[in-house]
Amino acid sequence: MAPGDTSTAPARIGLGEVLVQWGRIGCLGFGGPPTHIAMFRDLCVTRRKWIAEAEFEDSIAVCNLLPGPSSTQLAILCAWNVAGPLGAIVGGAAFIIPGLVLILGLAAVFLATSPPLWVLGAGAGAGSVVAAVAVHAGVGLIPASWRRAPVRARWVGYAVAGGVAAATIGPLLVLVLLLCGFVEMGLRRPRSSATLGIHPAPALLATAAASTGGLFALAWVALKVGAFAYGGGFVIIPLMQHDAVHRYHWMTDSQFLDAVALGQITPGPVVQIVAVGGYSAAGLVGGLLAAVVAFTPSFVFVLVGARHFQALRQNLAARAFLDGAGPAAIGAIIGVSIPLALALGAGWQFAVLAAGAVALFVLRRSVLATLLGTAAIGIAVVQLGAPLP
């Protein structure tokens, strides 16, 4: 059934099948959105033929129009297509929970009061290369976005704005993303009377409310991650770094780098990083709260809007908004590499960063292999007496 169909979604497969298959991808889905898309395509289109190829491509396009983690939304939408609303809930949860359990377990180890020396070394080594991983992620998004750009000079302007914002005013990045989207909508308004009901006022009010700190602040940071992160999981890094490290002091710079690295070496959505921030703020309860708040918008978007997604894809205002916010998000992903690199606290980490960049861009190694390799280097260097950050 197409996402734009107004009839009730048929339950074509059982919930047990959804639980098993979506859970399998949640356990084995290392590598971020490209891997997740390929695995869902293989399952739903190629092997089981539950979804037509054109319908699957439409689902990808719709999820790219939505804010938040696109591969998570694709998992929920595919489950909605084959098993209805309840299937969407079961499938989305099965996709998210395996990685969430693993990353919370690793957070307990890495954020312990006195973790073993080898754990600290692994974190320092893997954390060293996170800046290069961010650049790698952003560069990988450029070609498709550049081809879609209606006016390339504006694309460059939005990307620069996002990059500068991520490097300098991280906590306000969400407003810059929204502003770029609204600017593009305004410039293209004469060609369409379509409207998109998004307004920055709720973001401003919630930002003010979150100044009280505590669990309310944690919930707001998680909501920013889940509801305003255009462009994929890496956009959450500039959204989180200032709040988690400098504003609320939930973690140190080196612990934040560890959190980003953990999000890359665990399966499932990169947005799981927010659970590490929540764990550092309020233990297991904080980690679970942050995850629930961050992923809830994705479920709401699909469950409420799935029947209208075809119209959304054809909405010129929605596409214009994404044409502004999307390049800004790519710029932000690349721009965040600057504060991430400046957060390194030991001289040897810069050498590891350079080695990681060579592995990613010259040797074409995968992100997972690069992070595991630099973690091993960190363990060896620290065991030989090098200082920890």
Side-chain angles (χ1 to χ4, degrees), residues 211-229:
S211 64
T212 57
L215 292 179
F216 289 105
L218 175 59
W220 165 237
V221 173
L223 183 62
K224 283 194 294 184
V225 167
F228 299 107

Side-chain angles (χ1 to χ4, degrees), residues 147-237:
R147 288 193 296 270
R148 292 194 303 265
V151 180
R152 290 183 171 175
R154 294 208 297 263
W155 189 100
V156 172
Y158 298 140
V160 169
V164 171
T168 58
I169 55 170
L172 298 179
L173 174 62
V174 61
L175 298 182
V176 174
L177 297 178
L178 291 171
L179 179 62
C180 289
F182 287 124
V183 167
E184 183 64 19
M185 284 174 61
L187 291 172
R188 286 157 65 173
R189 184 175 296 277
R191 286 180 280 179
S192 172
S193 60
T195 59
L196 182 64
I198 303 176
H199 196 278
L204 293 169
L205 292 174
T207 302
S211 64
T212 57
L215 292 179
F216 289 105
L218 175 59
W220 165 237
V221 173
L223 183 62
K224 283 194 294 184
V225 167
F228 299 107
Y230 293 91
F234 256 94
V235 177
I236 77 171
I237 294 175

Side-chain angles (χ1 to χ4, degrees), residues 258-274:
D258 290 350
V260 178
L262 292 178
Q264 291 293 299
I265 65 173
T266 49
V270 176
V271 174
Q272 307 277 26
I273 297 168
V274 73

Side-chain angles (χ1 to χ4, degrees), residues 134-135 138 159 162-168 238 241 328-340:
V135 174
V164 171
T168 58
Q241 186 179 28
I330 293 173
I333 294 170
I334 297 173
V336 77
S337 63
I338 296 174
L340 288 176

Side-chain angles (χ1 to χ4, degrees), residues 10-179:
R12 300 194 313 209
I13 68 173
L15 295 179
E17 183 78 357
V18 172
L19 180 64
V20 170
Q21 297 298 336
W22 270 246
R24 179 182 63 84
I25 295 176
C27 291
L28 302 177
F30 294 91
T35 299
H36 303 154
I37 291 171
M39 293 181 77
F40 279 114
R41 186 194 303 275
D42 179 65
L43 170 67
C44 296
V45 178
T46 305
R47 290 194 291 113
R48 299 301 180 92
K49 302 188 185 304
W50 290 329
I51 300 175
E53 176 69 28
E55 183 180 0
F56 187 80
E57 293 298 331
D58 285 348
S59 296
I60 295 173
V62 164
C63 291
N64 285 332
L65 284 172
L66 300 173
S70 58
S71 65
T72 302
Q73 291 160 351
L74 179 64
I76 299 168
L77 182 55
C78 286
W80 187 92
N81 280 329
V82 301
L86 187 56
I89 296 172
V90 172
F95 175 67
I96 293 166
I97 288 175
L100 177 61
V101 171
L102 181 57
I103 203 168
L104 285 174
L106 291 172
V109 174
F110 278 82
L111 298 177
T113 303
S114 299
L117 183 62
W118 71 268
V119 169
L120 295 175
S128 301
V129 79
V130 164
V133 172
V135 174
H136 183 266
V139 169
L141 295 171
I142 289 176
S145 180
W146 181 256
R147 288 193 296 270
R148 292 194 303 265
V151 180
R152 290 183 171 175
R154 294 208 297 263
W155 189 100
V156 172
Y158 298 140
V160 169
V164 171
T168 58
I169 55 170
L172 298 179
L173 174 62
V174 61
L175 298 182
V176 174
L177 297 178
L178 291 171
L179 179 62

